[in-house]
Amino acid sequence: MLRIITDSASDLPKEYIRAHKLHVIPTPVVIDDVDYFDGDTIQTGEFYRILDDIKRDVKTYHINPAMFADAFCPYAKAGDTVIYLCFSTGIAGTYNAANVAKDTVREEYPDFDLTIIDSKCASIGFGLVVSKLVEMLEKGASKEELIEAADYFISHVRHVFTVHTLAYLIKGGRLTKFKGTLAETLDMKPVLIVDEKGALSVIKTVRGRKKSLRYLLEYAKENGWHLEEQRVALCHGEDEEGRDYMLSMIAEEIHPKSVLVGTVGCAIGAHTGRGIIGFCFFDADEGKYKKYFET
């Protein structure tokens, strides 16, 4: 059987995961020296309550080869063909670890057909690409078509994010304490994208929360392909106010076909804190795969 699996850095909503019976490998997070697994042994609500205390020791690490081997083995044993879309290698070492596990599993199951794809994506942008392939699989697409389509959609998905606080970027060393404290004092909010290499890049700094959220929408309008014809995606770090503000602007100004809404999990949330908001969309149509998305 042909299957698609992914990991929890895709931040897909639980309802979507259940509805499509999607296997999502949980990413690990260490809280005060105790290991937890995103969406499995810790949920986002509890995670952000812990994270709100800046003094708590919260760290992440990528899924290691042993964890991947445990996830892959049942499929190898069953003789399934698997496509695994992983968290961007520009942000984490997931892709390399998955390939190490693939070699290990093939020592016992040499015929195991596993394709590992670096999504070069993060959070719900990653989830948006996964959702395209899941829909194609459910409508009968072949392995070759799915692998080819993955490359197409990865090259055309856009991510734009902002954060509510700089405290976690300072704590994680991604921003110097001096620059971060000054920016916080001035209420400056960085706007980031996931670039073509799958790495995070700051493209603009905006003063004020609502202006930063407004910029996400403006960026989408400037770079998106007929947003009103798309399923777009929104992610948030357990921030209902920010989520609802964005959803109202999206509904009033873009009128998309639908909006996929996910909560940012541990893999990214640990480095951004509560209040991260991201908007994701495509900058091109569905190309030669359009037939799979016609209703």
Side-chain angles (χ1 to χ4, degrees):
M1 183 178 292
L2 177 58
R3 298 180 181 273
I4 290 171
I5 64 174
T6 188
D7 58 67
S8 67
S10 58
D11 293 335
L12 284 162
K14 288 191 176 295
E15 314 85 70
Y16 180 92
I17 293 167
R18 285 194 293 266
H20 296 274
K21 299 178 181 177
L22 183 64
H23 180 186
V24 177
I25 305 171
T27 54
V29 59
V30 184
I31 302 172
D32 299 328
D33 297 323
V34 178
D35 280 22
Y36 296 87
F37 294 93
D38 188 13
D40 184 6
T41 58
I42 191 167
Q43 305 302 319
T44 54
E46 180 186 1
F47 171 69
Y48 281 102
R49 284 192 293 273
I50 292 169
L51 198 62
D52 284 341
D53 182 353
I54 196 73
K55 295 179 181 178
R56 297 291 293 271
D57 184 22
V58 180
K59 300 174 184 175
T60 60
Y61 61 95
H62 62 73
I63 304 166
N64 65 38
M67 296 171 187
F68 275 124
D70 286 344
F72 295 154
C73 270
Y75 297 108
K77 188 175 182 179
D80 290 332
T81 296
V82 175
I83 298 172
Y84 165 53
L85 277 89
C86 76
F87 189 21
S88 172
T89 195
I91 301 173
T94 310
Y95 178 79
N96 291 335
N99 275 287
V100 170
K102 175 181 176 179
D103 292 341
T104 301
V105 173
R106 278 185 168 173
E107 289 177 7
E108 185 173 355
Y109 301 98
D111 296 328
F112 181 36
D113 187 354
L114 169 64
T115 302
I116 300 170
I117 298 173
D118 176 6
S119 73
K120 298 188 177 73
C121 298
S123 191
I124 202 65
F126 177 11
L128 199 55
V129 171
V130 171
S131 74
K132 287 288 189 186
L133 298 191
V134 166
E135 189 168 349
M136 287 180 65
L137 175 63
E138 291 174 346
K139 291 183 178 178
S142 68
K143 182 186 83 169
E144 292 71 25
E145 283 180 299
L146 291 169
I147 293 169
E148 188 181 69
D151 184 61
Y152 179 80
F153 288 118
I154 287 167
S155 69
H156 288 295
V157 71
R158 295 288 195 105
H159 316 60
V160 61
F161 294 86
T162 190
V163 295
H164 195 31
T165 175
L166 300 176
Y168 298 89
L169 296 178
I170 296 168
K171 183 180 178 182
R174 288 170 170 79
L175 193 62
T176 67
K177 189 171 183 180
F178 174 76
K179 287 184 178 179
T181 303
L182 179 62
E184 285 275 74
T185 302
L186 297 174
D187 196 25
M188 302 304 292
K189 310 295 184 187
V191 177
L192 306 92
I193 61 168
V194 178
D195 64 24
E196 64 278 1
K197 295 179 181 178
L200 296 176
S201 176
V202 177
I203 58 166
K204 193 176 182 67
T205 304
V206 182
R207 192 166 190 173
R209 174 66 164 173
K210 286 195 173 180
K211 285 184 179 178
S212 70
L213 298 182
R214 157 60 58 186
Y215 186 78
L216 303 186
L217 201 69
E218 294 305 320
Y219 179 88
K221 287 179 178 179
E222 291 173 11
N223 294 281
W225 181 89
H226 292 279
L227 296 172
E228 73 282 357
E229 296 181 23
Q230 292 191 36
R231 164 188 270 183
V232 297
L234 179 73
C235 61
H236 65 99
E238 288 289 349
D239 178 3
E240 294 182 3
E241 184 179 347
R243 177 200 66 193
D244 292 346
Y245 183 72
M246 281 297 297
L247 285 173
S248 66
M249 287 196 294
I250 291 166
E252 290 170 12
E253 300 181 35
I254 293 178
H255 315 292
K257 279 187 176 179
S258 62
V259 185
L260 186 66
V261 182
T263 305
V264 177
C266 306
I268 292 175
H271 306 286
T272 63
R274 185 189 296 273
I276 180 174
I277 296 283
F279 189 49
C280 301
F281 54 92
F282 290 101
D283 64 12
D285 66 8
E286 289 151 342
K288 67 180 184 180
Y289 311 104
K290 190 173 183 179
K291 64 182 181 180
Y292 287 106
F293 305 99
E294 292 173 343
T295 54

